[in-house]
Amino acid sequence: MRRHEPIDDLIAIVARLRDPETGCPWDQEQTFRSILPFTLEEAYEVAEAIENEDMKELREELGDLLLQVVYHARIAQEQGSFDFTDVVQAISEKMIRRHPHVFGDASLEDEEAVRENWEREKAAERERKRQRPIGSVLEGVAQALPALVRAEKLQKRAAVVGFDWDAMDEVFAKVIEELEECRETLRTHAEPTERVHEVGDLLFSCVNLARHMGVDAEQALRAANHRFERRFGRVEVCLRAGGLVPGRSVRDEMERLWNLIKAEER
């Protein structure tokens, strides 16, 4: 007999909430689509707890995210599609399959070889799912991903088949080229659509630079957002201490305080 585990309690709680006769009216009405925003929100709250290095908060947010998995699995079970056990079994099999150097006899020499094998196995999985040859190596990168994350995944897919820069200098040169093309749209008073395209190309090239530098572009931008919020918040505090409020009339003072705060942090 299988030992009772805490996850069993969570599965039972969600089943009770969803019970059509004795459950919660709100939970009874939920669908995959209606709880999707909560699933995305919980994933980002996990990311925030990690960035803040808050272990107590991380424990709680991981629980909230796990609830979303159990909830989706429960809805699927009610529809006769799959249940939580199927979810666990599928991911366990996938992890074993994608790590033949750990669970099998394969020999992968370094991290790069592991990544390449991972992408090849994912491509094979996608082909098996479709039961037909994949039309493009870029096929299957979810449209709903944040734009920076999706850009990186698209670039990695292309890199697996050799479509990538060979040297960092080439990557830097591409960023500079795209920056100059953005500047040119201002010089020539280009149409708004062209400006959008050129800024998009610049951002895409910056993601490429981050990837070649071993930096996660999404995390880097999130960290930059946090730094901006923190520093600007300190600027506001300093201004108010001097009897001032943020505004164009004190722009020079805001710039001075910003540079001072930035220097102090460094």
Side-chain angles (χ1 to χ4, degrees):
M1 180 180 292
R2 187 174 72 87
R3 186 178 65 178
H4 182 84
E5 300 287 355
I7 188 65
D8 297 322
D9 293 331
L10 180 57
I11 292 172
I13 289 169
V14 172
R16 176 70 182 276
L17 290 171
R18 293 277 300 174
D19 188 285
E21 296 182 0
T22 62
C24 168
W26 185 88
D27 289 281
Q28 292 168 345
E29 296 298 321
Q30 299 314 302
T31 65
F32 291 122
R33 288 187 177 276
S34 70
I35 65 171
L36 177 57
F38 300 104
T39 306
L40 296 173
E41 180 181 347
E42 296 302 346
Y44 279 110
E45 289 181 355
V46 167
E48 185 171 353
I50 292 172
E51 289 166 355
N52 293 335
E53 298 182 355
D54 188 335
M55 292 300 102
K56 182 179 178 181
E57 188 70 14
L58 178 58
R59 181 185 65 183
E60 182 172 339
E61 296 301 342
L62 286 171
D64 291 344
L65 185 58
L66 177 59
L67 171 62
Q68 296 297 311
V69 176
V70 173
Y71 211 109
H72 282 288
R74 178 62 196 182
I75 296 174
Q77 182 177 349
E78 293 166 359
Q79 296 179 357
S81 300
F82 59 83
D83 61 15
F84 183 77
T85 300
D86 296 323
V87 173
V88 174
Q89 182 176 346
I91 188 58
S92 297
E93 291 174 353
K94 182 184 294 185
M95 294 305 291
I96 291 172
R97 187 170 61 247
R98 291 184 179 180
H99 292 83
H101 55 297
V102 176
F103 302 103
D105 300 327
S107 177
L108 300 176
E109 297 178 356
D110 53 27
E111 184 180 349
E112 182 62 28
V114 171
R115 281 199 299 266
E116 289 179 359
N117 179 78
W118 179 277
E119 291 298 335
R120 282 195 300 270
E121 180 56 37
K122 286 172 66 176
E125 289 171 5
R126 290 192 296 272
E127 186 169 344
R128 287 194 294 271
K129 285 179 181 178
R130 291 167 176 78
Q131 296 183 337
R132 62 176 175 79
I134 297 177
S136 169
V137 296
L138 304 182
E139 205 173 296
V141 180
Q143 294 283 347
L145 288 171
L148 291 180
V149 175
R150 191 163 191 270
E152 183 173 0
K153 286 185 175 292
L154 290 171
Q155 291 170 9
K156 285 182 176 179
R157 289 277 190 91
V160 169
V161 295
F163 191 74
D164 200 4
W165 301 106
D166 294 322
M168 282 297 300
D169 285 347
E170 296 174 326
V171 182
F172 278 108
K174 185 61 177 177
V175 173
I176 294 170
E177 175 189 328
E178 297 297 349
L179 181 61
E180 286 302 315
E181 290 181 2
C182 283
R183 195 193 306 273
E184 185 64 20
T185 63
L186 294 177
R187 292 196 197 101
T188 60
H189 304 287
E191 293 294 323
T193 300
E194 186 176 348
R195 293 185 184 184
V196 169
H197 289 168
E198 294 302 340
V199 170
D201 290 344
L202 175 60
L203 292 173
F204 194 84
S205 67
C206 286
V207 172
N208 213 347
L209 174 62
R211 180 172 62 86
H212 279 267
M213 292 180 67
V215 173
D216 184 295
E218 180 73 17
Q219 289 185 7
L221 184 55
R222 285 172 61 86
N225 289 340
H226 287 315
R227 286 196 303 276
F228 183 84
E229 286 180 298
R230 182 180 66 249
R231 290 170 180 172
F232 192 78
R234 290 186 61 190
V235 167
E236 291 177 306
V237 169
C238 292
L239 284 174
R240 293 191 182 100
L244 302 173
V245 294
R248 292 184 180 276
S249 62
V250 293
R251 180 174 176 178
D252 290 344
E253 179 62 8
M254 287 194 293
E255 186 72 20
R256 185 188 72 82
L257 289 169
W258 176 273
N259 290 329
L260 180 63
I261 290 166
K262 187 174 179 181
E264 286 178 354
E265 289 186 358
R266 287 179 174 173

